[in-house]
Amino acid sequence: MKIIIVGCGNVGATLAEQLSTEGHDITVIDTREQLLKDVSGAFDVLGIVGNGASFNVLLEADVGKADLLVAVTGSDELNLLCCLIARKAGGCHTIARVSNPVYSNEIGFIKAELGLSMIINPQLTAAREMARMLKFPSALKVDTFAKSRSELIVYRIEEDSPLCNMQLKEMRGKLRCDVLIPVVERGEQVLIPGGDFRMMAKDNITILGTQLKVIELFKKLGKATVAVRDIMIIGGGITSIYLAKQMLQMGIRVKIIERDMNRCEELAEMLPKAMIINGDATDKDLLLEEGLVQAGAFVANTNFDEENIMLTLFAKSLSKAKLITKVHRIAYDDIIDSLDLGSVIYPKYITAVNIIKYVRAMKNSYDSNIESLYRLNDNRVEVMEFMIKENSPVVGIPLAELKLKENVIIGCITHRGQLSIARGQSVIAVGDTVILITTHTGMHDIRDALK
């Protein structure tokens, strides 16, 4: 596919990297020449210096032959204008990044009137991911599938856990729980384990199952299964506003610490039920005075990665709070993994995955359709949900007889609204949704999983 990306910031550069890796013809437009040189030098993409809302610049990018234009600059209004002009000039699909909470109640109207294929909001998406983690504080990551019937939980095994030294095939008998462990991360390794695999302390395991079954497992492990009661958020940016609104709706007490007084006044107007504290969160005495030690959750959500990492480490040293750290740049990956910062949120990755899901859906063949896409373990594992259509080659065959590629697992099947863990004797029918887990990236269709 020919794809034009307008905006070469964190999200734009990540999109250019991942979509070019999947074999698409990528053109990136930005007014910043050096950024374009960096991206075009690192990846197989064409860079054009200019304003993406300019008709002539879009013609230079060959918008008439484009399948999709994605506008992800830092300006909502510019993104919308880019998409509008691209629709008029080339008739391609368009995706706009729109972040301002002012537009949150008007997204449907804007999308319909401007003919947009999709609107993405990185801050809102990041806040929703944070909220899922706060509802299930024992997990490092929480994703949902099959219209929220299935949950995918990433959990780190502790030294005293009953799972230590247990083989996967022993779980059902010893813990009496019907869940699947499709992925294990051990150090630098990411594994699709077999039944003889023995779990160890510090493994990051991925748990797949219905919400009730996952909760049942965590209760048997002695881990928290209810949402936190209060939350301390550092930084009063847009993501914090979205997160605070969700928490307040759930009846969770919210405290936001923000150093800018004018911003505090704005937050107080937008979030009258939250407690807004004007102060510098790098002052440890302030954090202690505001109840860090007793906090149920601590979210480091400033615009500075270094500050977020430092604040999380301080909170970890003093409290048992659920920790969430927002990180923009990926250069810290190795350091972050070694520091054990709790749940780490990369907004640009979340945004990029949503767009990649749409791109793959555009390329779907006639026998299945991609419904959901998530990436785990530093993007080394993909979890996809496919809707099975009548011409699919996987229909009517027991899973044990399907010739799947190595490192591919079918995890769950939803049949007529009922979700079940996939077993060897399970059979997929037309209309079912199937959750597939793999270390192979770039699958567009269920048949891509077959040898």
Side-chain angles (χ1 to χ4, degrees):
M1 290 174 59
K2 179 174 178 56
I3 302 172
I4 299 172
I5 301 171
V6 181
C8 199
N10 284 332
V11 174
T14 302
L15 271 177
E17 175 187 3
Q18 299 191 13
L19 289 173
S20 63
T21 301
E22 294 194 9
H24 299 287
D25 178 7
I26 306 298
T27 300
V28 183
I29 301 173
D30 201 292
T31 56
R32 297 164 291 185
E33 185 175 359
Q34 187 58 50
L35 280 178
L36 285 176
K37 285 182 178 179
D38 293 341
V39 171
S40 58
F43 317 118
D44 184 19
V45 303
L46 172 66
I48 295 178
V49 180
N51 185 333
S54 164
F55 176 70
N56 289 326
V57 170
L58 288 178
L59 287 181
E60 185 181 351
D62 209 4
V63 70
K65 295 181 180 179
D67 298 291
L68 174 68
L69 179 138
V70 184
V72 287
T73 75
S75 166
D76 293 349
E77 292 76 16
L78 178 58
N79 293 336
L80 293 171
L81 184 57
C82 289
C83 290
L84 179 61
I85 294 174
R87 285 280 297 167
K88 298 293 184 182
C92 59
H93 292 252
T94 55
I95 298 175
R97 171 182 176 173
V98 179
S99 301
N100 195 326
V102 170
Y103 299 125
S104 60
N105 294 325
E106 305 164 4
I107 291 299
F109 173 80
I110 293 171
K111 181 180 176 182
E113 291 301 310
L114 297 186
L116 300 173
S117 305
M118 180 181 180
I119 289 179
I120 55 170
N121 186 331
Q123 287 85 350
L124 177 57
T125 306
R128 284 174 175 166
E129 179 148 338
M130 292 177 183
R132 285 199 299 269
M133 295 173 184
L134 293 167
K135 290 177 185 176
F136 212 123
S138 298
L140 294 177
K141 184 176 177 63
V142 180
D143 291 312
T144 60
F145 292 89
K147 299 179 181 178
S148 298
R149 296 187 189 97
S150 173
E151 290 200 334
L152 186 146
I153 306 286
V154 178
Y155 169 68
R156 177 164 294 165
I157 299 177
E158 298 169 338
E159 297 282 353
D160 58 349
S161 172
L163 295 177
C164 280
N165 299 315
M166 184 184 294
Q167 289 183 308
L168 291 182
K169 64 184 179 183
E170 300 173 334
M171 279 189 65
R172 292 186 75 186
K174 289 186 175 181
L175 296 176
R176 299 188 181 280
C177 54
D178 190 21
V179 298
L180 184 70
I181 310 292
V183 184
V184 177
E185 182 177 7
R186 178 176 292 170
E188 296 295 321
Q189 292 182 297
V190 175
L191 309 166
I192 304 280
D196 294 331
F197 183 86
R198 194 176 296 277
M199 294 173 283
M200 297 173 59
K202 297 185 180 179
D203 284 351
N204 284 349
I205 62 172
T206 299
I207 304 166
L208 182 64
T210 65
Q211 185 180 62
L212 288 177
K213 295 298 183 182
V214 172
I215 289 174
E216 183 181 325
L217 171 63
F218 272 78
K219 285 181 177 177
K220 291 177 179 178
L221 297 177
K223 309 308 297 182
T225 58
V226 296
V228 298
R229 296 181 179 178
D230 61 279
I231 175 175
M232 179 181 289
I233 304 173
I234 310 302
I238 295 174
T239 306
S240 295
I241 294 171
Y242 285 127
L243 177 60
K245 287 181 177 180
Q246 292 179 71
M247 295 296 98
L248 291 168
Q249 288 173 357
M250 294 169 56
I252 295 171
R253 297 188 299 275
V254 175
K255 182 179 291 184
I256 300 177
I257 299 178
E258 165 61 44
R259 60 165 56 96
D260 183 87
M261 186 61 193
N262 292 331
R263 184 60 172 171
C264 284
E265 292 175 357
E266 295 173 359
L267 291 170
E269 290 183 12
M270 288 185 282
L271 303 166
K273 294 184 179 180
M275 180 179 292
I276 312 298
I277 306 297
N278 178 226
D280 186 351
T282 59
D283 180 355
K284 64 180 183 180
D285 291 331
L286 172 65
L287 293 179
L288 293 174
E289 288 173 9
E290 295 302 331
L292 171 62
V293 176
Q294 296 80 28
F298 180 89
V299 180
N301 203 25
T302 76
N303 290 323
F304 302 99
D305 292 349
E306 297 86 350
E307 186 172 320
N308 289 340
I309 293 169
M310 182 190 70
L311 288 169
T312 298
L313 289 173
F314 179 67
K316 179 184 174 183
S317 70
L318 291 178
S319 79
K320 295 182 179 180
K322 167 66 179 177
L323 303 174
I324 297 180
T325 312
K326 184 176 73 174
V327 177
H328 293 93
R329 297 189 296 271
I330 59 172
Y332 296 108
D333 274 5
D334 294 337
I335 297 174
I336 288 171
D337 290 342
S338 66
L339 292 177
D340 188 13
L341 297 174
S343 299
V344 180
I345 298 288
Y346 294 93
K348 65 179 180 180
Y349 276 154
I350 301 170
T351 305
V353 166
N354 284 337
I355 295 173
I356 289 168
K357 181 183 79 171
Y358 183 85
V359 171
R360 290 193 193 172
M362 289 177 66
K363 290 191 67 178
N364 278 138
S365 69
Y366 57 85
D367 58 13
S368 71
N369 185 57
I370 189 167
E371 300 284 304
S372 302
L373 168 67
Y374 294 97
R375 284 180 168 173
L376 307 172
N377 307 93
D378 298 328
N379 290 335
R380 290 181 285 177
V381 175
E382 289 192 347
V383 186
M384 289 158 284
E385 182 177 8
F386 290 104
M387 170 69 78
I388 305 302
K389 298 181 181 178
E390 55 188 58
N391 294 309
S392 176
V394 301
V395 169
I397 303 172
L399 296 189
E401 298 178 19
L402 280 180
K403 295 181 179 180
L404 298 174
K405 292 177 180 177
E406 290 186 7
N407 295 323
V408 173
I409 287 181
I410 291 178
C412 291
I413 300 172
T414 302
H415 179 70
R416 295 181 179 177
Q418 295 297 313
L419 183 139
S420 61
I421 296 293
R423 306 294 178 190
Q425 69 276 16
S426 301
V427 177
I428 299 171
V430 174
D432 289 353
T433 57
V434 171
I435 296 174
L436 183 145
I437 305 100
T438 180
T439 54
H440 301 287
T441 58
M443 289 188 180
H444 297 85
D445 187 86
I446 191 68
R447 68 171 61 233
D448 294 335
L450 303 175
K451 290 181 180 179

